[in-house]
Amino acid sequence: MLWQTFRRFWVGTCYLLFCPAIGLAGVNVCQDPGEYSHVSLSVYSHNEAVIADAVGQSEREGYDLDLLFTMDDTWSFGAGHYYSNLGVELSGLPTNGHLHTTVLPVHRHSARGDKRRFRLSVAPTLSGSSNVMRQPGEYSSDTLQLLAALIWSRKLSDRLTFHYGLCGDHRFGGYAVYPSVGIDWRPRDEWRLELGFPETWLTYKATRSVSLSLGAAPDGNEWHVKNKNLDRESQLVYEATLVEGVLSWQVRDRVTISASFGRLLDNRYEVTLQDGSQVQLSSDAEARFAASLEWRFR
């Protein structure tokens, strides 16, 4: 499992370094939430992909809605809702494909001016199909998740920061606690390299209002799913490596719009079918298109 995790990461990183892509990244507890209060909406669509051995096909679309409110220099909290219409054509799958994840993160920071800082993030989460989410009586320990991160950072110079810590979430499919380590290097004012695990990003600020980014990161989640009659259930696990870039335009001081194109590599599904058999399925690489609107209100 650990070898597969590192292999997927380096496949994505090598793809980033040698193949052009444009795309958009999501928000997660392992990633620093940022200094600004904001609300953002992202919509995305994936192209149709054939599942291995021609047993079916998948086509995804959905949206991400995020809210972050910074109380002061040390506390911030937020809410997020992530919807995905999986659209998998696979006989025996106990879900209608409408998948929801609701996250309520709380972040505790040390003072931002310190050379050595820490961040503790905790995010109670509900994750399930629409048949489960609209029926609170159907919630179970399989529906509830607790995402968390503890990250330390040290500023080595005005242009170089080192960070390390632990994260626990579903970015690699099933829940996992994994190390987070990397450097944030700004060799010039217009360039920024965030090199590490599990994410790598390269950003170029072309003008005062336009920036370009390329990145590689894991993309996964787990949902508690049931059929319409609520008599069949399973844990649906998805994992992949997302390689994408983003074109961002700061239209006004507080408003930014973004557009993206990327590729999902090493796609894998794990699910229990209606006949009780547990299967692992892989699908072709998928293209991902996305657009985002962000408003900073504080």
Side-chain angles (χ1 to χ4, degrees):
M1 175 62 72
L2 184 60
W3 163 246
Q4 291 177 342
T5 296
F6 277 96
R7 184 180 69 86
R8 282 192 294 271
F9 168 73
W10 286 115
V11 167
T13 300
C14 291
Y15 192 94
L16 162 68
L17 293 176
F18 296 107
C19 299
I22 302 175
L24 184 68
V27 178
N28 55 76
V29 294
C30 198
Q31 189 178 50
D32 192 299
E35 304 178 20
Y36 304 98
S37 297
H38 69 267
V39 60
S40 65
L41 173 65
S42 302
V43 294
Y44 62 86
S45 177
H46 297 192
N47 73 316
E48 187 176 285
V50 176
I51 297 176
D53 300 323
V55 298
Q57 58 188 17
S58 67
E59 186 174 8
R60 294 174 57 194
E61 60 183 11
Y63 66 82
D64 297 345
L65 179 63
D66 283 291
L67 170 68
L68 180 72
F69 185 77
T70 55
M71 293 286 293
D72 51 34
D73 200 33
T74 57
W75 286 96
S76 60
F77 63 91
H81 185 78
Y82 312 112
Y83 164 73
S84 179
N85 183 1
L86 185 56
V88 170
E89 295 183 11
L90 182 63
S91 176
L93 185 67
T95 177
N96 58 8
H98 296 282
L99 308 173
H100 299 262
T101 300
T102 299
V103 186
L104 298 172
V106 177
H107 309 280
R108 171 71 166 90
H109 311 256
S110 58
R112 293 193 178 276
D114 295 346
K115 286 190 175 182
R116 297 189 180 188
R117 303 183 58 225
F118 79 91
R119 173 176 59 88
L120 173 63
S121 298
V122 178
T125 302
L126 291 171
S127 190
S129 64
S130 59
N131 295 329
V132 174
M133 297 290 280
R134 63 174 173 243
Q135 299 284 347
E138 299 297 322
Y139 294 176
S140 69
S141 58
D142 293 327
T143 318
L144 302 174
Q145 302 174 354
L146 183 63
L147 315 182
L150 182 59
I151 306 293
W152 290 268
S153 63
R154 181 177 179 181
K155 192 171 184 179
L156 303 178
S157 69
D158 290 341
R159 295 188 177 272
L160 185 64
T161 300
F162 173 66
H163 70 81
Y164 59 95
L166 293 173
C167 301
D169 57 28
H170 291 268
R171 301 181 71 194
F172 293 100
Y175 187 84
V177 176
Y178 55 89
S180 174
V181 61
I183 60 169
D184 184 342
W185 180 39
R186 307 186 187 217
R188 300 181 63 178
D189 292 343
E190 65 270 26
W191 287 97
R192 180 181 183 183
L193 174 64
E194 299 167 276
L195 177 64
F197 179 87
E199 296 187 35
T200 289
W201 282 93
L202 176 64
T203 301
Y204 172 64
K205 194 170 181 63
T207 69
R208 182 179 177 182
S209 58
V210 176
S211 63
L212 301 166
S213 298
L214 295 175
D219 181 70
N221 204 351
E222 182 175 359
W223 301 269
H224 181 205
V225 300
K226 290 190 175 184
N227 63 356
K228 184 177 181 180
N229 296 326
L230 304 176
D231 57 357
R232 306 291 296 182
E233 64 180 323
S234 177
Q235 291 299 110
L236 174 60
V237 179
Y238 170 75
E239 63 176 304
T241 298
L242 177 60
V243 181
E244 62 178 356
V246 57
L247 170 63
S248 295
W249 177 29
Q250 189 173 345
V251 183
R252 306 184 66 175
D253 289 344
R254 296 179 180 271
V255 178
T256 300
I257 60 174
S258 304
S260 73
F261 170 73
R263 295 283 287 176
L264 284 151
L265 312 173
D266 285 347
N267 300 280
R268 186 181 69 86
Y269 300 91
E270 181 179 307
V271 67
T272 302
L273 302 180
Q274 289 184 8
D275 62 4
S277 60
Q278 190 173 44
V279 296
Q280 293 186 2
L281 303 169
S282 59
S283 69
D284 295 340
E286 301 174 13
R288 170 185 162 111
F289 306 88
S292 175
L293 173 66
E294 179 186 88
W295 174 51
R296 295 181 179 179
F297 56 86
R298 182 178 173 182

